[in-house]
Amino acid sequence: MTDGRIGQADGFDDLETPCLLLDADKLAANVAGMRARLDRLGVSLRPHLKTAKSLAVARIAMASPSGPATVSTLKEAEYFAAGGVRDLIYAVGIAPQKLDRVGAIRRRQGADLAIVLDSIEQAAAVAAWSRGNGDPLPVLIEVDADGHRSGVDPRDAEQLVAIGRVLAEGACLRGVLLHAGDSYGLNDPAALATAAEAERRAALTAASVLRTAGLPCPVVSVGSTPTARYAANLDGITEVRAGVFMIGDLFQAGVGSCGIDDIALTVLTTVIGHQREKGWIITDAGWMALSRDRGTARQAVDQGYGVACDLAGRPYPNLIVRDANQEHGILAVRPGASAPLPDLPIGARLRILPNHACATGAQHDGYHAVVRGRLTGAVWPRINGW
């Protein structure tokens, strides 16, 4: 075994492991890069906070302390609204049973919280609630960009107009919202640019249908990290929602949305054992710390449960978390690779780059902030749940 580099401690030895580290310099650079890109394309950024789930991160990502921002749970909406964020979209299809909670956030915390739907049934429930409560809820109609998940077909003018007219009976139609989810299955820049253009055209088609019918459509909102990264033209789009770009992960690196060096999130772990005859290093970060996400298994490079790095964040050659139990991580050289196993004694610390930042973050309740490679001593809280 060789390559025993562990890196400078820089305060990491004082932390209980496993725990979450967030490189604030990389985070800020990722946000600045995306904002500059969208500025050149003439659209605003409405960052999606579902990955970060942290007010400290949100204040770096948003254009102002009051937003705008996107959330994926009403618990996020409550948390960010309590922290002063006023311009919010809850970008998951609304269930009628949640409307009272939406109204409470708008009433108690003064947030302009908009909701999303894609059916006449939802629209009728929202319009009835709005009339009954004297609060015309702002609504975006979700449009299907690529058959990935939810939304109205942008060519289905009858359905789009019918939803819009039902909403007009009490609610406030604010526009259309799309998410090009199929872009996550791509990795070719030309294909990603094509997906971004298809998302844009679907958005403009739906907006035109509503406007031609005399219905309002001031907001045309699109969003995914891959299409935001590769879009060449966003004419007619008013805002882009993207979230994981600010933190990055191995899956996004596999798509081509970021580089390995851009990933701001790592899990700090400690070596607790060896199985030398098997070529294993055992750590205290199992799937409870890393998550069970194995999304890179479907990509050209399978990263196991994560990539192992020294304390400076430099990946060891072909060293991955090959397997994971609840509280044990099993590090080994990538199958087929000839790299030597590094000499990491019991008690050594190392950092794991995650497959999926959202899923890994959800296993923890805070980030230990790192600046210029050193711990700042600050812990940025984050929330979980619904």
Side-chain angles (χ1 to χ4, degrees):
M1 296 191 298
T2 60
D3 193 2
R5 59 186 161 94
I6 298 174
Q8 298 298 313
D10 293 330
F12 298 137
D13 282 343
D14 298 329
L15 297 178
E16 293 285 343
T17 59
C19 64
L20 208 54
L21 306 180
L22 185 61
D23 188 315
D25 299 315
K26 291 183 179 182
L27 169 70
N30 293 340
V31 171
M34 180 63 79
R35 194 171 295 284
R37 175 168 222 287
L38 296 182
D39 284 347
R40 290 193 297 272
L41 291 171
V43 295
S44 64
L45 172 63
R46 178 185 288 274
H48 206 313
L49 303 178
K50 69 175 183 176
T51 303
K53 294 184 187 279
S54 165
L55 193 57
V57 177
R59 287 172 174 157
I60 294 170
M62 297 184 304
S64 77
S66 61
T70 313
V71 296
S72 62
T73 71
L74 288 180
K75 185 171 181 179
E76 290 171 36
E78 290 163 344
Y79 167 73
F80 289 113
V85 183
R86 294 291 173 262
D87 183 356
L88 290 165
I89 294 176
Y90 170 44
V92 174
I94 193 65
Q97 295 88 340
K98 296 182 180 180
L99 292 173
D100 285 341
R101 193 172 174 191
V102 170
I105 295 168
R106 291 170 54 80
R107 182 178 65 255
R108 289 198 310 262
Q109 297 169 327
D112 179 22
L113 175 59
I115 58 176
V116 171
L117 52 79
D118 66 355
S119 71
I120 292 173
E121 292 84 355
Q122 290 167 300
V126 170
W129 188 96
S130 297
R131 291 193 303 271
N133 289 272
D135 180 10
L137 294 178
V139 177
L140 294 104
I141 300 175
E142 185 169 8
V143 174
D144 181 7
D146 52 18
H148 174 71
R149 189 170 57 200
S150 303
V152 181
D153 188 316
R155 298 160 297 183
D156 190 345
E158 182 178 356
Q159 178 81 345
L160 283 166
V161 171
I163 291 172
R165 288 182 174 155
V166 170
L167 289 171
E169 296 172 3
C172 175
L173 175 57
R174 187 163 285 180
V176 294
L177 177 146
L178 296 85
H179 172 65
D182 271 6
S183 65
Y184 285 76
L186 305 174
N187 61 11
D188 175 69
L192 287 161
T194 297
E197 177 60 14
E199 179 185 38
R200 185 184 79 91
R201 289 189 177 277
L204 297 187
T205 297
S208 176
V209 165
L210 294 174
R211 291 165 180 162
T212 298
L215 293 165
C217 189
V219 175
V220 183
S221 180
V222 301
S224 79
T225 286
T227 54
R229 185 73 70 195
Y230 285 95
N233 176 12
L234 289 173
D235 291 350
I237 303 301
T238 63
E239 65 180 27
V240 168
R241 307 173 329 280
V244 73
F245 77 90
M246 67 182 80
I247 289 176
D249 55 34
L250 293 169
F251 185 88
Q252 289 297 324
V255 171
S257 299
C258 71
I260 293 287
D261 290 343
D262 299 321
I263 300 173
L265 189 72
T266 51
V267 174
L268 182 68
T269 186
T270 303
V271 174
I272 60 171
H274 302 90
Q275 291 288 338
R276 300 187 191 281
E277 71 283 1
K278 297 178 180 177
W280 291 356
I281 298 170
I282 313 299
T283 74
D284 64 356
W287 57 254
M288 282 294 287
L290 301 172
S291 90
R292 275 195 178 276
D293 193 290
R294 290 280 285 106
T296 63
R298 300 188 299 273
Q299 296 182 325
V301 178
D302 183 352
Q303 304 285 20
Y305 286 85
V307 167
C309 305
D310 64 18
L311 285 183
R314 300 168 300 193
Y316 288 98
N318 286 306
L319 185 63
I320 63 173
V321 184
R322 281 273 301 275
D323 204 353
N325 302 127
Q326 184 164 335
E327 302 295 350
H328 295 75
I330 299 173
L331 275 58
V333 173
R334 187 189 311 279
S338 59
L341 195 67
D343 186 9
L344 296 173
I346 289 176
R349 298 289 176 98
L350 61 157
R351 296 163 68 172
I352 308 297
L353 293 170
N355 275 330
H356 186 175
C358 304
T360 297
Q363 311 303 305
H364 302 265
D365 59 8
Y367 305 98
H368 293 271
V370 177
V371 173
R372 292 187 290 278
R374 297 177 179 272
L375 284 172
T376 65
V379 178
W380 295 353
R382 54 165 287 132
I383 62 161
N384 290 307
W386 292 266

